[in-house]
Amino acid sequence: WYSKPCGVAFGFGGKMLAFGQKGAAAAVGAADVSSFCHSLVVPNEPEIVSTADRFEAWRGERRLQEFCQEKTQRSAGHVDEGLMWNLLGLQFDDAGRTRLPALLGFDQERIEQEAERYLGKKPGTTLMGPQPEEEKAAASAAPAARNLGPDLSEQGADDFFKNLAESTEQERVAVEGAAAGGGGGGCPLPL
């Protein structure tokens, strides 16, 4: 007797939830009460409903580029809004990446020329690997470019690092001795 026989609750976004007991069961007071619960969306801005319905249809049919084109046409007085819808529409176009710089006011050919002038070669060629004529030029120039210093044998390389370690240790001892003895002729090692 303490429970609510029916009710309605409103939520954000125009959502409404209605609950209650079905008519015949509520009137009789039967123990097996059947109930209902309905979730409804109540549009609070009717002008948005038609746009939302069209958007849902375009989304369902995967025609989002057409949606963006319509929004671009409707925003004829607002340049920035039209540009935004054009940019968004390019995301759904197969050739969108190539048309994007032109839409933003850049010349694709000029960009490539400036990049080639700056890099010294056509952009993107580094990712493709060396061209056949570049491989031949690199092979002929390789011996001169690979000369990074005197050729050392394995023993010579070991001696180099051993001598480097010894000279570093001698310098460290000399600096510590000079600091402890005050630069005089005293004994550098503590007694």
Side-chain angles (χ1 to χ4, degrees):
W1 68 272
Y2 199 65
S3 65
K4 295 180 184 179
C6 62
V8 175
F10 291 93
F12 292 107
K15 294 186 178 157
M16 182 181 81
L17 185 70
F19 63 92
Q21 298 175 349
K22 291 188 178 175
V28 176
D32 290 338
V33 178
S34 71
S35 60
F36 68 91
C37 182
H38 296 288
S39 177
L40 306 167
V41 176
V42 179
N44 51 5
E45 295 182 36
E47 64 272 2
I48 293 178
V49 173
S50 62
T51 305
D53 289 341
R54 283 197 316 271
F55 176 71
E56 288 295 324
W58 277 318
R59 191 180 66 128
E61 297 171 6
R62 297 189 163 278
R63 297 183 324 168
L64 293 173
Q65 187 176 8
E66 292 176 26
F67 176 76
C68 294
Q69 287 173 351
E70 181 181 309
K71 295 297 265 185
T72 302
Q73 292 169 356
R74 288 189 179 201
S75 64
H78 305 285
V79 177
D80 292 336
E81 187 176 341
L83 178 62
M84 183 207 49
W85 283 110
N86 274 330
L87 289 172
L88 193 59
L90 284 179
Q91 300 300 314
F92 306 109
D93 189 5
D94 293 337
R97 286 185 74 115
T98 59
R99 292 180 40 212
L100 180 66
L103 185 63
L104 294 175
F106 296 105
D107 181 21
Q108 183 74 22
E109 294 297 321
R110 184 166 177 250
I111 292 171
E112 288 178 4
Q113 289 171 356
E114 290 293 320
E116 186 173 352
R117 187 175 62 85
Y118 178 75
L119 296 172
K121 56 185 166 182
K122 192 169 180 92
T125 56
T126 306
L127 299 175
M128 295 186 311
Q131 301 298 324
E133 61 271 0
E134 290 178 4
E135 287 177 357
K136 291 176 187 175
S140 65
R146 297 199 49 96
N147 188 7
L148 301 176
D151 291 333
L152 293 176
S153 65
E154 190 173 324
Q155 182 62 36
D158 287 341
D159 290 342
F160 171 78
F161 286 111
K162 182 179 177 184
N163 293 337
L164 180 64
E166 287 176 1
S167 66
T168 304
E169 182 65 24
Q170 289 172 356
E171 288 177 17
R172 185 184 65 79
V173 168
V175 169
E176 286 178 359
C187 180
L189 299 174
L191 300 173

